[in-house]
Amino acid sequence: MGDTFSSLFELGGPVVLILLAISIAALAVILAKVFQFSNARVGRHGMVRQAVTQWRSGERNTAAQNLIKDRSLSAALVRNAMDAIQMLDQQPLASQERDIREERLREEISARAADRLFALASWLKALDLVTQIAPLLGLFGTVLGMIDTFQTLQESGAAANPATLAGGIWVALLTTACGLAVAIPVSVAVTWFETRLEKERAALEVLLTGVFTAGSFSTVAST
């Protein structure tokens, strides 16, 4: 295995070494993002949806309490919204004043959600850059290899060996293959992360809207 890598670097030259370094960095970022997404429990909304349903049916204390043990991103934001609304319900405010404060609260919670989602999206642009530059680096290495091959062919003159030319070409194409081998899995990972983020953003919007449109506690209790 070591000899294989050694020969690969020897044939591909510095471009292969650069692609190897990029692939190691990309792998480290991907693993870190997987841990971050797992720690934020992205996509896990079962308990939160149940709590929002309880909230809208009037079981507000129960709904808020059920989210204490849930460490997901959505649970933290929804619980913050529930706690803040319960504090508003305890204050003797006129209807118009309450609506104004609730709107401000909604904007604040939305800003928090945007900030948390932005943190989850960090380094995805870097991975996207890898998917773009890895094939280009591979192509650059191929062009350099082709230049070297044809230069050798020119120096050989009439004594040029076609087998030598063919060998030089496949070695030159090796860097393109390495570039694609780096770019393709990283592209798949980026697409997966971005899809999860879009679903999380949509779910948060639905859940928070469900909390804020439930009305005041007195209104819900009277119904």
Side-chain angles (χ1 to χ4, degrees), residues 109-124:
I109 297 296
S110 296
R112 291 182 190 176
D115 184 64
R116 296 294 299 274
L117 291 173
F118 180 79
L120 288 175
S122 62
W123 290 98
L124 290 185

Side-chain angles (χ1 to χ4, degrees), residues 11-12 21 31 179 217:
L11 292 173
L31 293 177
F217 180 74

Side-chain angles (χ1 to χ4, degrees), residues 1-206:
M1 182 66 70
D3 294 338
T4 301
F5 281 111
S6 178
S7 61
L8 180 64
F9 299 148
E10 183 178 352
L11 292 173
V15 173
V16 172
L17 290 175
I18 294 173
L19 287 172
L20 176 64
I22 290 175
S23 65
I24 293 174
L27 178 61
V29 172
I30 289 172
L31 293 177
K33 297 305 295 182
V34 168
F35 176 79
Q36 185 184 26
F37 274 52
S38 176
N39 190 48
R41 298 177 63 85
V42 174
R44 302 178 184 179
H45 309 122
M47 187 176 295
V48 184
R49 293 183 188 279
Q50 182 180 359
V52 171
T53 300
Q54 292 174 329
W55 174 270
R56 295 182 65 85
S57 65
E59 303 175 33
R60 300 204 160 181
N61 290 330
T62 302
Q65 290 296 321
N66 287 341
L67 293 179
I68 293 179
K69 296 182 180 180
D70 192 339
R71 297 182 179 179
S72 66
L73 166 66
S74 57
L77 291 169
V78 169
R79 178 168 170 76
N80 286 340
M82 289 179 176
D83 290 342
I85 291 177
Q86 284 182 315
M87 291 181 63
L88 280 181
D89 289 338
Q90 295 173 2
Q91 300 177 16
L93 299 173
S95 177
Q96 185 176 2
E97 177 66 18
R98 188 189 188 283
D99 291 342
I100 293 175
R101 294 195 180 186
E102 186 173 319
E103 183 61 28
R104 291 176 180 173
L105 174 62
R106 187 168 187 169
E107 292 177 358
E108 180 182 347
I109 297 296
S110 296
R112 291 182 190 176
D115 184 64
R116 296 294 299 274
L117 291 173
F118 180 79
L120 288 175
S122 62
W123 290 98
L124 290 185
K125 289 295 183 182
L127 292 178
D128 188 55
L129 181 62
V130 169
T131 66
Q132 298 179 41
I133 66 173
L136 294 178
L137 280 173
L139 181 60
F140 177 66
T142 295
V143 171
L144 293 179
M146 295 292 287
I147 291 174
D148 184 65
T149 297
F150 282 107
Q151 185 178 6
T152 303
L153 181 63
Q154 181 184 15
E155 293 173 353
S156 300
N161 186 351
T164 302
L165 176 61
I169 291 176
W170 82 259
V171 169
L173 291 174
L174 182 64
T175 57
T176 296
C178 290
L180 292 175
V182 172
I184 292 173
V186 174
S187 178
V188 172
V190 170
T191 301
W192 185 82
F193 286 131
E194 289 180 344
T195 301
R196 299 278 289 182
L197 271 178
E198 286 300 318
K199 290 182 178 180
E200 186 71 10
R201 183 177 290 106
L204 281 174
E205 183 176 352
V206 171

